[in-house]
């Protein structure tokens, strides 16, 4: 029977002991000795030697457990560390039983310790992994949470607690359905249930109201099944409220800009560094063959290859960061008439790089034609004076300035 008990202890990796409080005798089983790294023949049956194997940091804890057991006459399992004679550190779990005499006093304590080192190492590794996971999740700016099949939250990061303005103790183990309005509550629970039951991931834009303030969010949800076939829902939340506000403000600003530019008699456009149109005002459309769809087109497809080649040296300058001004002569694609455009290229610089350039074009065709006619008329008048052998002059009494024609001088 003793041999069977010894073999059972070896198989279970445990040892047994007893402590007679009347005689102070401490007895260890053979395997109890081996767990501590000593041979049974070397063991000295004293309480002090037994205590000497306990880890220095755990001795007060073990002493407290024994004192509590003696005072309350009640024993509970507890874990502590030992150091063997070879210096090996082990975790053990102690289980005790009190033997009471006829007077109700404790006469002896018998117990076992089991080597749980591998189990404890696994627990520590798991705890470290959880800490690493917690650290990683807390570094993520977006709220993340995990809930079980009963919709109870089992894990959440700091961003989630901040979003709901709650502490961890008020979140873990709860569904938080009471924290949102009833309409949103039913919606969230319905979507979560579908993901948990079907395993089909879900991503959507929706509203979340907390303490009367409604945010626009994008939720991404997927199902995770652990090794015990338990389903969990993992969800991340992206708050896009400010982004939507910014997009709306940008849209309104673009609409206002569109209204202003569409009512100016000026050709206005924006072209990126890849020669693609980003913007064109209504006047630009009115003066081209395109009624719509200029945005996204290549510049050559809009202004033609000849005009592009004429403009290319100026385009290169503006893409180098220079402000450029020149006259561009082209043909009206509608009636083949000459058009003279006073053109300005303005670079759009982002982070020190030219990303695009603005084109401002003023149609000066009529002004140029009028200037040419005036020059022609002046030349005809000058030729007539030469033929008639006459000259003309003028005098401004206010400035006392006198002007003579060329032939008057001759």
């Amino acid at each position: 029977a003793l041999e069977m008990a010894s073999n059972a202890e070896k198989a279970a990796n445990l040892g047994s002991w007893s402590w007679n409080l009347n005689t102070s005798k401490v007895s260890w089983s053979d395997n109890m000795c081996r767990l501590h790294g000593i041979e049974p023949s070397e063991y000295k049956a004293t309480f002090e030697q037994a205590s000497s194997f306990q880890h220095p940091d755990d001795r007060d804890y073990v002493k407290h457990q024994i004192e509590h057991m003696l005072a309350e006459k009640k024993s509970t399992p507890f874990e502590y560390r030992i150091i063997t004679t070879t210096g090996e550190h082990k975790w053990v779990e102690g289980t005790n039983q009190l033997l009471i005499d006829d007077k109700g006093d404790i006469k002896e304590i018998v117990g076992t310790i089991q080597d749980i080192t591998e189990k404890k190492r696994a627990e520590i590794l798991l705890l470290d992994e959880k800490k690493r996971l917690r650290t990683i999740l807390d570094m993520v700016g977006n709220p993340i949470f995990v809930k079980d099949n009963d919709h109870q939250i089992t894990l959440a990061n700091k961003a989630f607690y901040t979003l709901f303005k709650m502490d961890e103790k008020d979140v873990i183990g709860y569904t938080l359905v009471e924290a949102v309005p009833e309409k949103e509550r039913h919606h969230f629970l319905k979507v979560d249930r579908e993901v948990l039951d079907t395993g089909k991931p879900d991503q959507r834009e929706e509203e979340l109201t907390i303490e009367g303030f409604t945010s626009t969010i994008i939720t991404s949800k997927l199902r995770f099944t652990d090794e015990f076939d338990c389903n969990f829902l993992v969800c991340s939340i992206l708050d896009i409220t400010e982004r939507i506000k910014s997009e709306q403000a940008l849209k309104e600003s673009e609409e206002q800009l569109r209204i202003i530019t569409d009512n100016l008699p000026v050709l206005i456009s924006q072209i990126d560094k890849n020669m693609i149109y980003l913007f064109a005002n209504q006047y630009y459309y009115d003066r081209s063959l395109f009624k719509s769809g200029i945005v996204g087109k290549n510049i050559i497809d809009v202004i033609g290859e000849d005009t592009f080649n004429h403009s290319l040296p100026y385009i290169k300058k503006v893409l180098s960061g220079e402000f450029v001004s020149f006259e561009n002569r082209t043909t009206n694609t509608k009636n083949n008439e000459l058009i003279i455009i006073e053109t300005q290229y303005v670079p759009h610089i982002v982070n020190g790089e030219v990303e695009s350039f603005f084109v401002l074009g003023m149609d000066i065709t009529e002004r140029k034609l009028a200037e040419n006619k005036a020059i022609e008329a002046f030349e005809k008048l000058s030729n007539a004076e030469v033929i008639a052998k006459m000259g003309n002059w003028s005098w401004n009494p206010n400035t006392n300035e006198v002007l003579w024609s060329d032939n008057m001088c001759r």
Side-chain angles (χ1 to χ4, degrees):
L2 289 175
E3 185 177 352
M4 288 180 62
S6 179
N7 291 333
E9 285 190 0
K10 288 181 181 179
N13 208 18
L14 58 80
S16 60
W17 60 273
S18 65
W19 177 27
N20 189 310
L21 273 64
N22 295 322
T23 64
S24 297
K25 181 181 179 181
V26 176
S27 300
W28 280 10
S29 68
D30 290 353
N31 208 53
M32 180 74 168
C33 295
R34 295 188 185 96
L35 286 175
H36 288 76
I38 58 176
E39 290 299 321
S41 59
E42 300 173 358
Y43 173 66
K44 296 179 181 179
T46 64
F47 184 81
E48 288 72 18
Q49 188 187 35
S51 300
S52 68
F53 289 101
Q54 296 164 7
H55 192 287
D57 294 341
D58 291 351
R59 284 174 187 167
D60 288 341
Y61 168 71
V62 174
K63 181 181 178 183
H64 172 76
Q65 291 293 325
I66 293 173
E67 290 174 347
H68 179 76
M69 178 174 57
L70 294 174
E72 299 294 329
K73 295 182 180 180
K74 180 181 179 181
S75 65
T76 54
F78 61 95
E79 299 173 355
Y80 61 98
R81 290 168 291 177
I82 63 172
I83 302 176
T84 69
T85 55
T86 60
E88 182 182 1
H89 290 231
K90 294 181 178 180
W91 275 95
V92 296
E93 181 180 41
T95 304
N96 311 308
Q97 183 177 354
L98 306 180
L99 301 180
I100 310 297
D101 60 19
D102 296 338
K103 297 178 182 180
D105 297 327
I106 302 172
K107 64 177 182 179
E108 190 174 5
I109 304 173
V110 296
T112 61
I113 68 165
Q114 185 174 20
D115 186 348
I116 59 169
T117 305
E118 293 304 318
K119 170 192 169 186
K120 206 66 181 177
R121 284 175 181 167
E123 290 178 356
I124 293 172
L125 288 174
L126 179 60
L127 182 61
D128 289 343
E129 189 64 28
K130 286 183 177 179
K131 288 180 179 178
R132 282 193 291 269
L133 177 61
R134 166 69 65 184
T135 301
I136 293 171
L137 290 178
D138 286 343
M139 290 176 65
V140 177
N142 296 335
I144 296 174
F145 69 90
V146 179
K147 60 165 54 177
D148 62 20
N149 202 53
D150 296 321
H151 298 282
Q152 292 182 338
I153 296 175
T154 60
L155 177 68
N157 64 348
K158 286 183 179 179
F160 185 83
Y161 300 135
T162 301
L163 175 65
F164 279 87
K165 302 176 182 178
M166 291 182 174
D167 295 326
E168 182 175 357
K169 62 181 178 63
D170 301 317
V171 172
I172 302 302
Y174 296 93
T175 63
L176 295 189
V177 292
E178 298 82 5
V180 297
E182 184 176 359
K183 182 179 179 181
E184 294 178 8
R185 179 189 316 162
H186 292 314
H187 166 71
F188 288 136
L189 290 177
K190 179 182 178 183
V191 174
D192 292 352
R193 186 77 268 156
E194 289 177 355
V195 175
L196 283 167
D197 291 345
T198 67
K200 184 179 179 181
D202 182 89
Q203 184 178 72
R204 66 180 68 199
E205 181 179 314
E206 45 201 349
E207 291 186 343
L208 173 65
T209 304
I210 300 175
E211 295 185 357
F213 180 79
T214 301
S215 302
T216 303
I217 62 173
I218 294 178
T219 57
S220 299
K221 301 176 180 180
L222 57 86
R223 186 180 73 182
F224 167 74
T225 303
D226 66 10
E227 63 271 24
F228 303 106
D229 284 333
C230 295
N231 291 332
F232 294 87
L233 178 84
V234 183
C235 176
S236 67
I237 301 173
L238 175 62
D239 189 340
I240 60 171
T241 307
E242 293 304 318
R243 190 184 82 185
I244 289 179
K245 288 181 180 179
S246 298
E247 290 175 350
Q248 183 61 33
L250 178 61
K251 182 179 179 181
E252 292 175 358
S253 176
E254 289 178 345
E255 290 176 350
Q256 292 175 354
L257 177 63
R258 168 67 66 181
I259 292 172
I260 294 172
T261 57
D262 282 350
N263 285 277
L264 291 176
V266 180
L267 299 168
I268 302 175
S269 62
Q270 183 182 8
I271 303 169
D272 70 14
K273 59 185 178 182
N274 297 315
M275 304 296 131
I276 302 299
Y277 275 86
L278 303 177
F279 173 83
N281 70 338
Q282 188 59 47
Y283 192 71
Y284 204 103
Y285 282 105
D286 292 342
R287 301 305 295 266
S288 72
L289 286 176
F290 296 91
K291 293 301 179 183
S292 63
I294 288 180
V295 173
K297 288 187 178 296
N298 188 280
I299 186 173
I300 296 179
D301 297 332
V302 175
I303 66 175
E305 188 171 354
D306 290 341
T307 304
F308 172 75
N309 290 333
H310 172 73
S311 305
L312 187 57
Y314 306 106
I315 292 176
K316 290 180 178 179
K317 285 184 178 182
V318 73
L319 289 178
S320 69
E322 293 185 39
F323 179 94
V324 182
S325 181
F326 65 99
E327 285 186 7
N328 196 3
R329 293 174 178 265
T330 184
T331 302
N332 190 322
T333 54
K334 295 180 179 179
N335 52 27
N336 290 324
E337 292 182 354
L338 175 68
I339 301 177
I340 304 173
I341 305 295
E342 187 177 62
T343 306
Q344 293 180 339
Y345 288 167
V346 181
H348 178 222
I349 301 175
V350 179
N351 296 326
E353 299 288 335
V354 178
E355 295 296 328
S356 63
F357 60 95
F358 295 98
V359 181
L360 306 177
M362 176 75 73
D363 187 343
I364 58 172
T365 306
E366 293 183 1
R367 190 185 80 189
K368 281 293 183 178
L369 292 176
E371 289 176 357
N372 290 337
K373 288 181 180 179
I375 292 172
E376 290 176 2
F378 179 78
E379 290 176 350
K380 288 180 180 179
L381 177 60
S382 180
N383 292 334
E385 285 186 354
V386 172
I387 294 172
K389 295 183 179 182
M390 62 179 293
N392 69 79
W393 58 275
S394 64
W395 171 47
N396 188 328
N398 295 322
T399 62
N400 204 31
E401 183 181 12
V402 177
L403 296 176
W404 280 13
S405 68
D406 291 350
N407 209 51
M408 182 71 173
C409 295
R410 296 188 188 97

